[in-house]
Amino acid sequence: MHFRSHSVLPGFGPTLGITVLYLSLIVLIPLGALVLKTSELTWTVFWSTVTDPRVLASYRLSFGAAAIAALINAVFGVIVAWVLVRYRFPGKALIDALVDLPFALPTAVAGIALTALYAPNGWLGQLLTPLGIKVAYDWKGVVVALTFIGLPFVVRTVQPILEELGKDVEEAAVSLGANRWQTITRVILPELWPAILTGFALAFARAVGEYGSVVFISGNLPMKTEITPLLIITKLEQYEYAQATAIAVVMLVVSFILLLLINLLQHWISRRRA
Amino acid sequence: MNSPVADKPHLTEPAWVRRILIGIVLGFLGLFLFLPLTVVFVEAFRAGLGVWWAAVSDPVAWHAIRLSVTVTILCVVLNGLFGLCAAWAITRFRFVGKGFLISLIDLPFAVSPVISGLIFVLLFGAQGVMGDWLSDRDIQIIFALPGILLATLFVTFPFVARELIPLMEAQGTEEEEAARVLGASGWTIFRRITLPAIRWGLLYGCILCSARALGEFGAVSVVSGHIRGQTNTLPLHIEILYNEYQFAASFACASLLSLLALLTLVAKRFVEWRMNQHQSHLKTTP
């Protein structure tokens, strides 16, 4: 078996060479440094670091808030995609374009903007504080920031599937006596599930590692509103390289498992669509 | 475009349901997208145009802008060239381990920005793997421009390649192979056939890459050292102003980046529209 099959086109060697070299320099070797640093840790040090109550509290907040935010985005993302594909109303094109704002707006800008809105003297904070609802400097603020960051994912994964979904299956369902609710829940939603799950996983993965938009609004209290990425930076600033590395490795492993799941989901979608 | 669904009442929801759903969408997006964007501009100009101008024309702010723009341009060029090479190798040839290579290119998307910075500190920092070697030779990477560039390159690594690979896969190789058989050189094939066909996709990837590079915060925050007037990018400058309670100045700089984000959205839409046109044009010409 040959490494590659024959092609008349030139340039295989140089382009693959540059690709592999650049990939190694920018991505693989630096990630390797993380593995190398981790292997310097003994198992007991590693374990005591990642099971420290403060670290566990940060994992709980980061993964918990990311899950809540991704869930909010899954529910509203499907509604947004539905409305954008199926209905016509003034300003639709503008709204469709605005959905990508979280991809384009720097996270630090999002962070200070959301804090200005939800701080006790902010536009929304003023309304919420008398009701006894505290958003900024609380775990709810973290959820708000992560919802903003993950907003486009579910919309942009569900939208193309909805656009491609033919009306004929719906026609068939109706002619067989299904009402609108049955058509949506039994015919349309099952087609959307893989895309919804992919969008959820993408939003979740992005939210778990998010830093910029969260640090302004969270208040950063250890054990309470301290996310894992911030804890890594705190450890680094205290020159606790080993601890920072250990905490990062746990996050990274979870992220890679997520990436694997996303790839499997996308594989599943493309097989269903084919 | 979609056929108007309202014409078929049995295939859409009652009017009141439609109105409620549109209302929910406007409310949700208004709360999470429109309000944060508005508050940036209101806070930026609250103290007047003079204060805004003083904040964005401050020498330290200018230095931060220049640094951010330099890093962004370098990122787009380097990751763009890489994307072209990777897409050519991956879509024009069949070889062992191709799927694995594509997964590796996607890897940075799964890494938290903070970890993206951390890995370079572990490699090049004072206590890092290469720390002693670098300090013996007086080479500074962390807390300097190379570190900021490397971290941003890592974060924006997949953007161009990810756009080009599916596009070039779909385009196929027939025209290029025909040109080759007729005696065209590799460079001529690329310049005359491949590049015109993928130019909008390439531009699209570059837009996404530059938006992310310009706004990157977490990764750069770890490697920059926050030295004012030296290693502060614009997002880091905004953070420092904010933490010093200089809110007007902080939001003034943030309004610059927000404006660029809005321009990015417009450019993105335009390129998407051109790509659709390009594709339907390809479909109609046999």
Side-chain angles (χ1 to χ4, degrees), chain B:
Chain B
M1 280 317 287
N2 289 288
S3 59
V5 276
D7 300 350
K8 292 180 182 172
H10 64 290
L11 286 187
T12 186
E13 292 72 47
W16 64 273
V17 176
R18 290 204 302 266
R19 280 197 204 107
I20 289 177
L21 287 179
I22 292 173
I24 290 174
V25 167
L26 292 179
F28 179 69
L29 298 184
L31 187 67
F32 278 97
L33 300 181
F34 187 70
L35 266 184
L37 196 59
T38 314
V39 85
V40 171
F41 289 104
V42 171
E43 293 288 329
F45 293 104
R46 177 185 291 239
L49 213 62
V51 174
W52 182 87
W53 179 247
V56 297
S57 60
D58 179 77
V60 180
W62 254 112
H63 187 275
I65 292 170
R66 275 204 309 275
L67 179 62
S68 281
V69 171
T70 310
V71 169
T72 302
I73 291 172
L74 286 172
C75 260
V76 170
V77 170
L78 288 172
N79 281 341
L81 288 174
F82 159 73
L84 283 170
C85 285
W88 182 266
I90 286 169
T91 63
R92 293 316 183 232
F93 304 95
R94 291 169 58 175
F95 56 92
V96 180
K98 191 151 114 173
F100 185 61
L101 183 62
I102 297 175
S103 306
L104 286 181
I105 292 174
D106 271 349
L107 211 55
F109 275 153
V111 179
S112 164
V114 168
I115 298 178
S116 313
L118 169 73
I119 54 178
F120 290 102
V121 173
L122 293 179
L123 200 58
F124 301 120
Q127 305 186 23
V129 180
M130 294 177 64
D132 291 333
W133 190 88
L134 288 170
S135 68
D136 286 349
R137 281 154 191 79
D138 216 18
I139 303 171
Q140 180 120 27
I141 291 181
I142 299 304
F143 306 148
L145 178 73
I148 297 171
L149 179 64
L150 282 169
T152 315
L153 280 175
F154 181 95
V155 171
T156 56
F157 187 82
F159 280 104
V160 179
R162 246 183 109 89
E163 285 306 320
L164 290 182
I165 291 170
L167 186 66
M168 283 173 65
E169 195 77 69
Q171 233 121 38
T173 55
E174 284 165 26
E175 287 180 47
E176 287 152 358
E177 280 166 357
R180 182 63 176 171
V181 172
L182 293 172
S185 73
W187 175 242
T188 310
I189 294 173
F190 174 75
R191 205 165 44 85
R192 302 286 291 273
I193 295 171
T194 316
L195 202 57
I198 62 166
R199 63 182 194 275
W200 292 108
L202 179 65
L203 185 62
Y204 193 76
C206 288
I207 290 172
L208 296 182
C209 179
S210 62
R212 183 68 199 263
L214 199 59
E216 181 47 38
F217 182 74
V220 172
S221 183
V222 175
V223 295
S224 110
H226 302 87
I227 308 163
R228 202 180 283 226
Q230 281 181 44
T231 62
N232 253 354
T233 61
L234 196 52
L236 295 178
H237 184 62
I238 291 171
E239 181 200 23
I240 287 184
L241 292 173
Y242 189 86
N243 288 340
E244 288 174 347
Y245 302 103
Q246 300 189 42
F247 294 129
S250 176
F251 277 102
C253 294
S255 71
L256 276 186
L257 283 176
S258 304
L259 199 66
L260 279 174
L262 289 176
L263 285 177
T264 304
L265 291 185
V266 173
K268 193 167 163 288
R269 263 298 122 114
F270 175 73
V271 173
E272 277 167 358
W273 174 70
R274 286 308 302 251
M275 279 196 314
N276 277 335
Q277 270 199 332
H278 195 77
Q279 254 158 17
S280 47
H281 173 72
L282 283 182
K283 271 177 201 153
T284 48
T285 46

